[in-house]
Amino acid sequence: MQFATDIKPISWLKSNAKQMLETVDETGNPMIITQNGEAKAVVMNVRAYDQMQESLALLRILADSSADVEAGRLRDSNEVFADLHGMIAARRDARK
């Protein structure tokens, strides 16, 4: 990411909104919008936003898992797989 070219003042945004959307979409880089010299907003394309949300969700799962390990909330894998096999069998039986 090239912050020097991806930072624009809000006055630029007001007169170049179409160009900003095209640039963000083409490059995939977010654009930082400033107001009075301070960063106020980030504009990014939808694909990059979706990828970021998926990454954050995975990181939350990882953090929760680490917390579970540290707290001793663990289960034996054989027990987990036995429960999963039981759940699958129950769903199959329910469909019949």
Short mmCIF file of all heavy atoms in Angstrom, two decimals, residues 35-88:
data_model
loop_
_atom_site.label_atom_id
_atom_site.label_comp_id
_atom_site.label_asym_id
_atom_site.label_seq_id
_atom_site.Cartn_x
_atom_site.Cartn_y
_atom_site.Cartn_z
N GLN A 35 -9.73 15.00 7.26
CA GLN A 35 -10.47 16.24 7.47
C GLN A 35 -9.65 17.08 8.44
O GLN A 35 -9.29 16.58 9.53
CB GLN A 35 -11.86 15.95 8.04
CG GLN A 35 -12.72 17.17 8.18
CD GLN A 35 -14.12 16.82 8.68
OE1 GLN A 35 -14.29 15.89 9.44
NE2 GLN A 35 -15.11 17.56 8.22
N ASN A 36 -9.33 18.27 8.05
CA ASN A 36 -8.47 19.15 8.86
C ASN A 36 -7.15 18.46 9.21
O ASN A 36 -6.66 18.56 10.34
CB ASN A 36 -9.20 19.60 10.13
CG ASN A 36 -10.44 20.40 9.82
OD1 ASN A 36 -10.47 21.17 8.86
ND2 ASN A 36 -11.48 20.20 10.61
N GLY A 37 -6.61 17.71 8.26
CA GLY A 37 -5.31 17.08 8.45
C GLY A 37 -5.32 15.80 9.26
O GLY A 37 -4.28 15.19 9.46
N GLU A 38 -6.49 15.37 9.73
CA GLU A 38 -6.59 14.13 10.52
C GLU A 38 -7.32 13.06 9.72
O GLU A 38 -8.29 13.35 9.04
CB GLU A 38 -7.38 14.38 11.81
CG GLU A 38 -6.65 15.15 12.86
CD GLU A 38 -7.46 15.20 14.14
OE1 GLU A 38 -8.03 14.16 14.54
OE2 GLU A 38 -7.54 16.29 14.73
N ALA A 39 -6.83 11.83 9.83
CA ALA A 39 -7.52 10.71 9.18
C ALA A 39 -8.89 10.54 9.82
O ALA A 39 -9.01 10.47 11.04
CB ALA A 39 -6.70 9.44 9.32
N LYS A 40 -9.93 10.48 9.00
CA LYS A 40 -11.31 10.38 9.51
C LYS A 40 -12.05 9.15 9.00
O LYS A 40 -12.97 8.68 9.64
CB LYS A 40 -12.12 11.63 9.13
CG LYS A 40 -11.67 12.88 9.83
CD LYS A 40 -11.98 12.82 11.30
CE LYS A 40 -11.61 14.12 11.97
NZ LYS A 40 -11.95 14.13 13.37
N ALA A 41 -11.66 8.65 7.82
CA ALA A 41 -12.40 7.53 7.23
C ALA A 41 -11.49 6.75 6.29
O ALA A 41 -10.48 7.26 5.81
CB ALA A 41 -13.62 8.04 6.45
N VAL A 42 -11.88 5.51 6.08
CA VAL A 42 -11.19 4.65 5.13
C VAL A 42 -12.23 4.12 4.15
O VAL A 42 -13.28 3.62 4.56
CB VAL A 42 -10.49 3.46 5.84
CG1 VAL A 42 -9.87 2.52 4.82
CG2 VAL A 42 -9.45 3.97 6.83
N VAL A 43 -11.94 4.25 2.87
CA VAL A 43 -12.82 3.73 1.83
C VAL A 43 -12.09 2.56 1.18
O VAL A 43 -10.92 2.68 0.80
CB VAL A 43 -13.14 4.81 0.77
CG1 VAL A 43 -14.04 4.25 -0.31
CG2 VAL A 43 -13.79 6.02 1.44
N MET A 44 -12.79 1.43 1.09
CA MET A 44 -12.17 0.25 0.48
C MET A 44 -13.20 -0.48 -0.36
O MET A 44 -14.41 -0.29 -0.17
CB MET A 44 -11.58 -0.67 1.56
CG MET A 44 -12.58 -1.18 2.55
SD MET A 44 -11.90 -1.98 4.04
CE MET A 44 -10.51 -2.85 3.47
N ASN A 45 -12.70 -1.31 -1.30
CA ASN A 45 -13.65 -2.04 -2.14
C ASN A 45 -14.28 -3.19 -1.35
O ASN A 45 -13.76 -3.62 -0.32
CB ASN A 45 -13.04 -2.48 -3.46
CG ASN A 45 -12.03 -3.61 -3.34
OD1 ASN A 45 -12.07 -4.41 -2.41
ND2 ASN A 45 -11.15 -3.70 -4.30
N VAL A 46 -15.39 -3.65 -1.81
CA VAL A 46 -16.18 -4.65 -1.09
C VAL A 46 -15.43 -5.97 -0.95
O VAL A 46 -15.48 -6.60 0.10
CB VAL A 46 -17.55 -4.85 -1.78
CG1 VAL A 46 -18.33 -5.96 -1.13
CG2 VAL A 46 -18.35 -3.57 -1.75
N ARG A 47 -14.72 -6.39 -1.99
CA ARG A 47 -13.97 -7.66 -1.89
C ARG A 47 -12.93 -7.60 -0.78
O ARG A 47 -12.80 -8.54 0.01
CB ARG A 47 -13.30 -7.97 -3.24
CG ARG A 47 -14.28 -8.40 -4.32
CD ARG A 47 -13.55 -8.73 -5.63
NE ARG A 47 -12.66 -7.67 -6.11
CZ ARG A 47 -13.03 -6.58 -6.77
NH1 ARG A 47 -14.29 -6.39 -7.04
NH2 ARG A 47 -12.14 -5.69 -7.17
N ALA A 48 -12.20 -6.50 -0.71
CA ALA A 48 -11.18 -6.35 0.34
C ALA A 48 -11.84 -6.31 1.71
O ALA A 48 -11.33 -6.89 2.67
CB ALA A 48 -10.36 -5.09 0.10
N TYR A 49 -12.99 -5.65 1.81
CA TYR A 49 -13.71 -5.60 3.08
C TYR A 49 -14.17 -6.99 3.51
O TYR A 49 -14.00 -7.38 4.66
CB TYR A 49 -14.91 -4.65 2.97
CG TYR A 49 -15.72 -4.57 4.23
CD1 TYR A 49 -15.29 -3.78 5.30
CD2 TYR A 49 -16.91 -5.29 4.36
CE1 TYR A 49 -16.03 -3.73 6.46
CE2 TYR A 49 -17.64 -5.24 5.53
CZ TYR A 49 -17.20 -4.45 6.58
OH TYR A 49 -17.94 -4.40 7.73
N ASP A 50 -14.74 -7.74 2.57
CA ASP A 50 -15.17 -9.11 2.88
C ASP A 50 -14.00 -9.98 3.33
O ASP A 50 -14.12 -10.73 4.30
CB ASP A 50 -15.86 -9.75 1.67
CG ASP A 50 -17.25 -9.21 1.42
OD1 ASP A 50 -17.84 -8.61 2.34
OD2 ASP A 50 -17.75 -9.38 0.28
N GLN A 51 -12.88 -9.87 2.64
CA GLN A 51 -11.70 -10.65 3.02
C GLN A 51 -11.22 -10.27 4.41
O GLN A 51 -10.84 -11.12 5.22
CB GLN A 51 -10.56 -10.44 2.01
CG GLN A 51 -10.81 -11.11 0.69
CD GLN A 51 -9.72 -10.78 -0.34
OE1 GLN A 51 -9.02 -9.78 -0.22
NE2 GLN A 51 -9.60 -11.63 -1.35
N MET A 52 -11.25 -8.98 4.71
CA MET A 52 -10.83 -8.52 6.02
C MET A 52 -11.76 -9.06 7.12
O MET A 52 -11.30 -9.51 8.17
CB MET A 52 -10.81 -6.99 6.07
CG MET A 52 -10.32 -6.43 7.40
SD MET A 52 -10.30 -4.62 7.44
CE MET A 52 -12.06 -4.26 7.44
N GLN A 53 -13.07 -9.05 6.85
CA GLN A 53 -14.03 -9.57 7.83
C GLN A 53 -13.83 -11.06 8.06
O GLN A 53 -13.90 -11.55 9.20
CB GLN A 53 -15.46 -9.28 7.37
CG GLN A 53 -15.83 -7.81 7.41
CD GLN A 53 -15.71 -7.22 8.80
OE1 GLN A 53 -16.22 -7.75 9.77
NE2 GLN A 53 -15.00 -6.11 8.90
N GLU A 54 -13.57 -11.82 6.99
CA GLU A 54 -13.31 -13.24 7.13
C GLU A 54 -12.04 -13.49 7.94
O GLU A 54 -12.01 -14.37 8.80
CB GLU A 54 -13.20 -13.91 5.76
CG GLU A 54 -14.52 -14.02 5.03
CD GLU A 54 -14.39 -14.58 3.62
OE1 GLU A 54 -13.30 -15.11 3.29
OE2 GLU A 54 -15.35 -14.47 2.86
N SER A 55 -11.02 -12.71 7.68
CA SER A 55 -9.77 -12.84 8.43
C SER A 55 -9.98 -12.52 9.90
O SER A 55 -9.46 -13.23 10.78
CB SER A 55 -8.70 -11.91 7.86
OG SER A 55 -8.38 -12.27 6.55
N LEU A 56 -10.73 -11.49 10.18
CA LEU A 56 -11.01 -11.13 11.57
C LEU A 56 -11.81 -12.23 12.27
O LEU A 56 -11.54 -12.53 13.45
CB LEU A 56 -11.78 -9.81 11.64
CG LEU A 56 -10.96 -8.56 11.34
CD1 LEU A 56 -11.86 -7.33 11.26
CD2 LEU A 56 -9.87 -8.36 12.37
N ALA A 57 -12.75 -12.82 11.57
CA ALA A 57 -13.54 -13.91 12.17
C ALA A 57 -12.63 -15.09 12.51
O ALA A 57 -12.76 -15.69 13.60
CB ALA A 57 -14.66 -14.35 11.22
N LEU A 58 -11.72 -15.42 11.62
CA LEU A 58 -10.78 -16.52 11.89
C LEU A 58 -9.87 -16.18 13.07
O LEU A 58 -9.58 -17.04 13.91
CB LEU A 58 -9.95 -16.83 10.65
CG LEU A 58 -10.70 -17.51 9.51
CD1 LEU A 58 -9.82 -17.58 8.27
CD2 LEU A 58 -11.18 -18.88 9.91
N LEU A 59 -9.43 -14.94 13.15
CA LEU A 59 -8.59 -14.53 14.27
C LEU A 59 -9.35 -14.60 15.60
O LEU A 59 -8.79 -14.98 16.63
CB LEU A 59 -8.04 -13.12 14.05
CG LEU A 59 -6.95 -13.01 12.99
CD1 LEU A 59 -6.61 -11.55 12.71
CD2 LEU A 59 -5.70 -13.76 13.43
N ARG A 60 -10.65 -14.25 15.57
CA ARG A 60 -11.47 -14.36 16.79
C ARG A 60 -11.59 -15.82 17.23
O ARG A 60 -11.50 -16.13 18.41
CB ARG A 60 -12.86 -13.77 16.56
CG ARG A 60 -12.88 -12.28 16.58
CD ARG A 60 -14.31 -11.72 16.52
NE ARG A 60 -14.27 -10.38 16.01
CZ ARG A 60 -14.69 -10.01 14.82
NH1 ARG A 60 -15.24 -10.87 13.99
NH2 ARG A 60 -14.59 -8.76 14.43
N ILE A 61 -11.80 -16.71 16.27
CA ILE A 61 -11.89 -18.14 16.58
C ILE A 61 -10.58 -18.61 17.19
O ILE A 61 -10.57 -19.35 18.18
CB ILE A 61 -12.26 -18.95 15.32
CG1 ILE A 61 -13.69 -18.66 14.90
CG2 ILE A 61 -12.04 -20.44 15.54
CD1 ILE A 61 -14.05 -19.19 13.51
N LEU A 62 -9.48 -18.18 16.61
CA LEU A 62 -8.17 -18.57 17.13
C LEU A 62 -7.95 -18.04 18.54
O LEU A 62 -7.45 -18.76 19.42
CB LEU A 62 -7.08 -18.02 16.19
CG LEU A 62 -5.87 -18.88 16.05
CD1 LEU A 62 -6.05 -19.74 14.81
CD2 LEU A 62 -4.64 -18.05 15.95
N ALA A 63 -8.31 -16.79 18.78
CA ALA A 63 -8.16 -16.20 20.11
C ALA A 63 -9.03 -16.93 21.12
O ALA A 63 -8.58 -17.21 22.24
CB ALA A 63 -8.51 -14.71 20.07
N ASP A 64 -10.27 -17.25 20.73
CA ASP A 64 -11.16 -17.99 21.63
C ASP A 64 -10.58 -19.37 21.93
O ASP A 64 -10.63 -19.84 23.07
CB ASP A 64 -12.56 -18.15 21.02
CG ASP A 64 -13.32 -16.83 20.97
OD1 ASP A 64 -12.89 -15.87 21.63
OD2 ASP A 64 -14.34 -16.77 20.26
N SER A 65 -10.02 -20.01 20.92
CA SER A 65 -9.41 -21.33 21.11
C SER A 65 -8.23 -21.26 22.06
O SER A 65 -8.09 -22.11 22.95
CB SER A 65 -8.95 -21.91 19.77
OG SER A 65 -10.03 -22.08 18.90
N SER A 66 -7.40 -20.25 21.89
CA SER A 66 -6.25 -20.09 22.79
C SER A 66 -6.71 -19.86 24.22
O SER A 66 -6.12 -20.40 25.16
CB SER A 66 -5.38 -18.92 22.33
OG SER A 66 -4.78 -19.20 21.09
N ALA A 67 -7.75 -19.06 24.38
CA ALA A 67 -8.28 -18.80 25.72
C ALA A 67 -8.82 -20.09 26.34
O ALA A 67 -8.64 -20.34 27.53
CB ALA A 67 -9.37 -17.73 25.67
N ASP A 68 -9.49 -20.92 25.52
CA ASP A 68 -10.00 -22.19 26.01
C ASP A 68 -8.86 -23.10 26.48
O ASP A 68 -8.95 -23.75 27.52
CB ASP A 68 -10.83 -22.90 24.94
CG ASP A 68 -12.20 -22.28 24.75
OD1 ASP A 68 -12.65 -21.53 25.65
OD2 ASP A 68 -12.82 -22.54 23.70
N VAL A 69 -7.78 -23.15 25.71
CA VAL A 69 -6.63 -23.98 26.07
C VAL A 69 -6.03 -23.49 27.39
O VAL A 69 -5.76 -24.28 28.29
CB VAL A 69 -5.57 -23.99 24.94
CG1 VAL A 69 -4.27 -24.62 25.41
CG2 VAL A 69 -6.11 -24.73 23.72
N GLU A 70 -5.85 -22.18 27.49
CA GLU A 70 -5.26 -21.62 28.71
C GLU A 70 -6.14 -21.87 29.94
O GLU A 70 -5.64 -22.06 31.04
CB GLU A 70 -5.02 -20.12 28.54
CG GLU A 70 -3.87 -19.80 27.61
CD GLU A 70 -3.67 -18.32 27.40
OE1 GLU A 70 -4.19 -17.52 28.20
OE2 GLU A 70 -2.98 -17.97 26.43
N ALA A 71 -7.46 -21.89 29.74
CA ALA A 71 -8.39 -22.11 30.85
C ALA A 71 -8.62 -23.60 31.12
O ALA A 71 -9.36 -23.96 32.03
CB ALA A 71 -9.72 -21.42 30.56
N GLY A 72 -8.01 -24.44 30.29
CA GLY A 72 -8.15 -25.89 30.51
C GLY A 72 -9.45 -26.47 29.98
O GLY A 72 -9.83 -27.58 30.34
N ARG A 73 -10.14 -25.73 29.14
CA ARG A 73 -11.40 -26.23 28.56
C ARG A 73 -11.07 -27.04 27.31
O ARG A 73 -11.14 -26.54 26.19
CB ARG A 73 -12.33 -25.07 28.24
CG ARG A 73 -12.86 -24.35 29.46
CD ARG A 73 -13.88 -23.29 29.10
NE ARG A 73 -13.32 -22.20 28.32
CZ ARG A 73 -12.88 -21.05 28.81
NH1 ARG A 73 -12.93 -20.83 30.11
NH2 ARG A 73 -12.39 -20.12 28.02
N LEU A 74 -10.67 -28.27 27.52
CA LEU A 74 -10.25 -29.15 26.43
C LEU A 74 -11.06 -30.43 26.45
O LEU A 74 -11.57 -30.84 27.50
CB LEU A 74 -8.76 -29.51 26.60
CG LEU A 74 -7.80 -28.34 26.68
CD1 LEU A 74 -6.42 -28.83 27.09
CD2 LEU A 74 -7.73 -27.63 25.35
N ARG A 75 -11.18 -31.06 25.30
CA ARG A 75 -11.84 -32.36 25.19
C ARG A 75 -10.96 -33.27 24.36
O ARG A 75 -10.31 -32.83 23.42
CB ARG A 75 -13.21 -32.23 24.53
CG ARG A 75 -14.22 -31.49 25.41
CD ARG A 75 -15.57 -31.35 24.75
NE ARG A 75 -16.16 -32.65 24.45
CZ ARG A 75 -17.11 -32.83 23.57
NH1 ARG A 75 -17.56 -31.82 22.87
NH2 ARG A 75 -17.60 -34.02 23.36
N ASP A 76 -11.00 -34.53 24.67
CA ASP A 76 -10.27 -35.53 23.91
C ASP A 76 -10.86 -35.61 22.50
O ASP A 76 -12.09 -35.58 22.33
CB ASP A 76 -10.36 -36.89 24.62
CG ASP A 76 -9.57 -37.95 23.89
OD1 ASP A 76 -8.34 -37.88 23.95
OD2 ASP A 76 -10.21 -38.81 23.26
N SER A 77 -10.00 -35.74 21.50
CA SER A 77 -10.48 -35.78 20.12
C SER A 77 -11.39 -36.97 19.87
O SER A 77 -12.37 -36.85 19.11
CB SER A 77 -9.30 -35.80 19.13
OG SER A 77 -8.50 -36.94 19.34
N ASN A 78 -11.13 -38.10 20.49
CA ASN A 78 -12.01 -39.27 20.32
C ASN A 78 -13.42 -38.96 20.80
O ASN A 78 -14.41 -39.36 20.17
CB ASN A 78 -11.45 -40.49 21.05
CG ASN A 78 -10.18 -41.00 20.40
OD1 ASN A 78 -9.98 -40.85 19.20
ND2 ASN A 78 -9.31 -41.60 21.21
N GLU A 79 -13.51 -38.24 21.89
CA GLU A 79 -14.82 -37.86 22.42
C GLU A 79 -15.55 -36.90 21.47
O GLU A 79 -16.74 -37.05 21.20
CB GLU A 79 -14.61 -37.18 23.78
CG GLU A 79 -15.88 -36.79 24.50
CD GLU A 79 -15.58 -36.05 25.80
OE1 GLU A 79 -14.54 -36.33 26.44
OE2 GLU A 79 -16.41 -35.20 26.16
N VAL A 80 -14.82 -35.96 20.94
CA VAL A 80 -15.41 -34.99 20.01
C VAL A 80 -15.92 -35.70 18.75
O VAL A 80 -17.05 -35.48 18.31
CB VAL A 80 -14.38 -33.89 19.63
CG1 VAL A 80 -14.92 -33.00 18.53
CG2 VAL A 80 -14.02 -33.07 20.86
N PHE A 81 -15.08 -36.59 18.19
CA PHE A 81 -15.49 -37.30 16.97
C PHE A 81 -16.65 -38.24 17.24
O PHE A 81 -17.54 -38.39 16.39
CB PHE A 81 -14.31 -38.04 16.34
CG PHE A 81 -13.36 -37.13 15.62
CD1 PHE A 81 -12.05 -36.98 16.06
CD2 PHE A 81 -13.78 -36.40 14.51
CE1 PHE A 81 -11.18 -36.12 15.40
CE2 PHE A 81 -12.92 -35.55 13.85
CZ PHE A 81 -11.61 -35.40 14.30
N ALA A 82 -16.70 -38.86 18.40
CA ALA A 82 -17.83 -39.72 18.75
C ALA A 82 -19.11 -38.89 18.81
O ALA A 82 -20.17 -39.32 18.32
CB ALA A 82 -17.57 -40.42 20.08
N ASP A 83 -19.03 -37.69 19.40
CA ASP A 83 -20.20 -36.80 19.44
C ASP A 83 -20.64 -36.41 18.03
O ASP A 83 -21.84 -36.38 17.72
CB ASP A 83 -19.91 -35.55 20.25
CG ASP A 83 -19.82 -35.80 21.75
OD1 ASP A 83 -20.20 -36.92 22.19
OD2 ASP A 83 -19.37 -34.89 22.47
N LEU A 84 -19.68 -36.08 17.18
CA LEU A 84 -20.00 -35.69 15.80
C LEU A 84 -20.66 -36.85 15.04
O LEU A 84 -21.66 -36.65 14.33
CB LEU A 84 -18.75 -35.24 15.06
CG LEU A 84 -18.18 -33.89 15.48
CD1 LEU A 84 -16.84 -33.64 14.81
CD2 LEU A 84 -19.15 -32.77 15.15
N HIS A 85 -20.12 -38.06 15.21
CA HIS A 85 -20.72 -39.22 14.55
C HIS A 85 -22.15 -39.44 15.05
O HIS A 85 -23.05 -39.75 14.25
CB HIS A 85 -19.87 -40.48 14.78
CG HIS A 85 -18.59 -40.48 14.02
ND1 HIS A 85 -18.53 -40.47 12.65
CD2 HIS A 85 -17.29 -40.48 14.45
CE1 HIS A 85 -17.27 -40.46 12.25
NE2 HIS A 85 -16.49 -40.47 13.33
N GLY A 86 -22.36 -39.23 16.32
CA GLY A 86 -23.70 -39.36 16.88
C GLY A 86 -24.66 -38.33 16.32
O GLY A 86 -25.81 -38.63 16.01
N MET A 87 -24.19 -37.09 16.17
CA MET A 87 -25.04 -36.03 15.61
C MET A 87 -25.38 -36.33 14.16
O MET A 87 -26.54 -36.13 13.73
CB MET A 87 -24.33 -34.69 15.72
CG MET A 87 -24.19 -34.18 17.15
SD MET A 87 -23.06 -32.77 17.34
CE MET A 87 -23.73 -31.59 16.21
N ILE A 88 -24.42 -36.81 13.40
CA ILE A 88 -24.67 -37.14 11.98
C ILE A 88 -25.67 -38.28 11.88
O ILE A 88 -26.60 -38.24 11.07
CB ILE A 88 -23.35 -37.49 11.28
CG1 ILE A 88 -22.46 -36.25 11.17
CG2 ILE A 88 -23.59 -38.11 9.90
CD1 ILE A 88 -21.03 -36.52 10.74
#
